[in-house]
Amino acid sequence: MSGQVMPCSPQEIASLFLFEKLTPEQLGQLCGEGRVERFEEGPVYTEGDPATCFYVMIEGTVVLSRRVGGDDVEVSRTSQRGVYAGAMQAYLGDRVPQTYTNSMRVTERTRFFVLPAQSFADIMREWFPMAAHLLEGLFFGSKNTQRAIGQRERLLALGSLSAGLTHELNNPAAAAVRATATLRERVGKMRHKLAHISQGQFSRESIADLIEIQERTVERVAKATALSPLEASDREDELSDWLDDHGIAEGWRIAPTFVQAGLDTDWLDQVAASVSEDLLPGAIGWLNYTVETELLMDEIDDSTNRISHLVDAAKQYSQLDRAPHRVVDVHELLDSTLLMLSGKIGPGVRVVKDYDRSVPPVPAYPAELNQVWTNLIDNAVFAIGSTGRDGTLTVRTAREGDRLLVEFRDTGPGIPADIRSRIFDPFFTTKPVGEGTGLGLDISWRIVVSKHHGSLQVESEPGDTRFQVLLPLTAPEPGPASDSASVHDTAEETA
């Protein structure tokens, strides 16, 4: 938008801090190549348009905003004379996209000194060649450093996840190994007991009855329900008394196994009615081995299922076998991330899932959203741990209009108000040296805002910090690469 062109006074622009050290000849050249424009209340330029001019405010009030999802988010408002914005990177030429990285509007009648972008670039190279080279090096060096440290951050996260996954896999794997060894022993004893029974005084009818009881016992084990500790203790006492009364040796050792399998004294009465009194101890021993082998096989089945579930979660987390951009159920992504991080979360953090399962799937880059969840969960766990007390991490999903909300709430100490506006800045971290690179939230911001056209915001007070990710339910075409400029890069926009 064009304003009203007004006379340019070298003396007036010399009063602006940006030009106060220039010579009269340089001030004259600026007025010759630039102009003074007065704008009424309203927009001056729009984010994404070609960056044609460099603006320096002489008087008035200016507001800078960035487009985040479907909203314009105000990032700066000032009435300070001499603040500047617009074609800030014109001196870099075509090595970077020459578009406005924000939108600017004025809230009252405002005057600017306006310099065409090409003139600004030529003057920078002519008057300040060393500064131009230093700024170029700073700009591209910062990008390269940020990219390298971002890769390092991902590697550190991968190492942490690998360690956690190894720990989680070790438990069910070790349980399966132990159960298999015990099962081998029990099967051997069962073969020995079978040989003993076949050589004893069991009639054909008694053996047939015993086998039928064995089959029904197996069915009973499969349907066994968990008892409370008190209920289990009472039943063990009842079974121990029954076994002692019927002359079964070591009834105290057999009773807990039978209780775990869901057997009771009524069941044992049926066994006793099927065989003679002298053959009852052998029959009870045979059924004991049957129950033990079934319980061990259940343990092996549970352990291998847990291993399979962990492997599936790792595949879901890494998205190794999925398209990079697809429609996803965020609950699957959240569950896989929480499972992958369970070792790091530890017993001191209670995880609460408050999911709204009615929300629809969203178009997304699932592997990169998992990285966002990882960063936010890691920060929440660190915050809770810094209190020295146990705490709660609540992961909530909900629908807010045409967007999906994913909220991570922790009971940590909160984020002080004086640094809250800086937490998304690259390399800013509150963690001790060596424990954080300061890029986790910056990367998360870029993934959510630049790639998914969503928003990432924080609300915090002591004991209640909430990071809120809002994703469009119907996203536009995939956005630019996640290393594009973000809304918090305001240091490059104004001074």
Side-chain angles (χ1 to χ4, degrees), residues 193-214:
K193 180 63 69 174
L194 180 60
H196 179 72
I197 290 175
S198 65
Q199 296 171 3
Q201 302 300 316
F202 285 85
S203 65
R204 178 177 297 179
E205 291 76 12
S206 296
I207 292 178
D209 291 340
L210 188 58
I211 291 175
E212 182 186 356
I213 292 175
Q214 181 186 36

Side-chain angles (χ1 to χ4, degrees), residues 1-9 12-13 16 30-31 33-41 43-45 52-61 100 104 106 108-117:
M1 177 179 292
S2 298
Q4 179 184 355
V5 178
M6 308 181 69
C8 177
S9 167
E12 183 176 46
I13 64 171
L16 304 174
L30 282 177
C31 271
E33 298 194 23
R35 60 191 182 273
V36 172
E37 288 190 40
R38 185 175 67 191
F39 291 81
E40 301 299 326
E41 180 180 350
V44 178
Y45 63 74
T52 57
C53 295
F54 175 65
Y55 295 83
V56 185
M57 189 177 73
I58 299 174
E59 61 179 353
T61 301
Y100 292 120
M104 184 166 72
V106 295
E108 60 180 327
R109 179 176 290 180
T110 301
R111 287 193 304 133
F112 291 96
F113 172 69
V114 183
L115 190 63

Side-chain angles (χ1 to χ4, degrees), residues 224-487:
T225 57
L227 301 176
S228 68
L230 183 59
E231 291 173 332
S233 178
D234 290 342
R235 185 168 298 183
E236 285 178 16
D237 290 341
E238 293 176 5
L239 290 181
S240 293
D241 292 342
W242 190 97
L243 294 169
D244 290 342
D245 292 343
H246 290 76
I248 308 299
E250 297 184 328
W252 57 271
R253 184 181 62 81
I254 299 174
T257 303
F258 281 2
V259 170
Q260 186 179 355
L263 305 184
D264 52 23
T265 54
D266 291 340
W267 186 258
L268 294 181
D269 285 338
Q270 295 181 40
V271 175
S274 302
V275 297
S276 60
E277 185 176 347
D278 60 324
L279 298 179
L280 182 61
I284 293 295
W286 169 253
L287 292 179
N288 181 49
Y289 289 137
T290 299
V291 170
E292 284 186 331
T293 56
E294 287 298 316
L295 294 175
L296 287 168
M297 285 190 288
D298 286 344
E299 184 176 348
I300 293 171
D301 182 64
D302 178 67
S303 298
T304 52
N305 281 333
R306 287 172 59 196
I307 293 172
S308 178
H309 185 52
L310 284 165
V311 172
D312 287 343
K315 289 173 63 179
Q316 172 72 24
Y317 180 85
S318 64
Q319 297 291 312
L320 291 177
D321 59 346
R322 307 294 180 91
H325 186 267
R326 63 185 183 90
V327 176
V328 298
D329 180 351
V330 294
H331 302 113
E332 293 180 0
L333 305 183
L334 291 168
D335 286 342
S336 66
T337 303
L338 288 168
L339 182 57
M340 292 291 290
L341 293 174
S342 58
K344 191 170 188 177
I345 291 173
V349 178
R350 186 171 71 97
V351 177
V352 176
K353 298 179 183 180
D354 183 10
Y355 292 167
D356 179 359
R357 296 285 185 177
S358 67
V359 298
V362 296
Y365 294 87
E368 297 199 27
L369 281 185
N370 281 339
Q371 186 180 0
V372 174
W373 311 152
T374 299
N375 292 336
L376 298 181
I377 293 171
D378 181 69
N379 285 348
V381 170
F382 177 84
I384 294 172
S386 68
T387 65
R389 303 187 302 272
D390 292 350
T392 301
L393 166 63
T394 303
V395 182
R396 182 171 73 93
T397 62
R399 181 168 184 165
E400 292 198 354
D402 60 349
R403 297 192 293 179
L404 167 66
L405 168 69
V406 182
E407 181 182 79
F408 298 84
R409 178 182 180 186
D410 68 73
T411 56
I415 303 172
D418 58 334
I419 67 170
R420 203 170 298 160
S421 62
R422 302 175 57 199
I423 60 174
F424 295 108
D425 290 348
F427 309 113
F428 179 80
T429 180
T430 59
K431 295 180 180 179
V433 175
E435 292 193 27
T437 62
L439 282 179
L441 289 178
D442 173 60
I443 291 172
S444 298
W445 180 284
R446 294 172 187 274
I447 290 172
V448 172
V449 175
S450 298
K451 295 206 73 170
H452 291 85
H453 308 281
S455 66
L456 174 57
Q457 56 200 37
V458 61
E459 299 175 359
S460 183
E461 59 184 47
D464 186 4
T465 296
R466 307 183 187 199
F467 280 89
Q468 298 172 329
V469 177
L470 285 161
L471 299 171
L473 294 176
T474 54
E477 290 301 313
S482 60
D483 61 353
S484 61
S486 58
V487 69

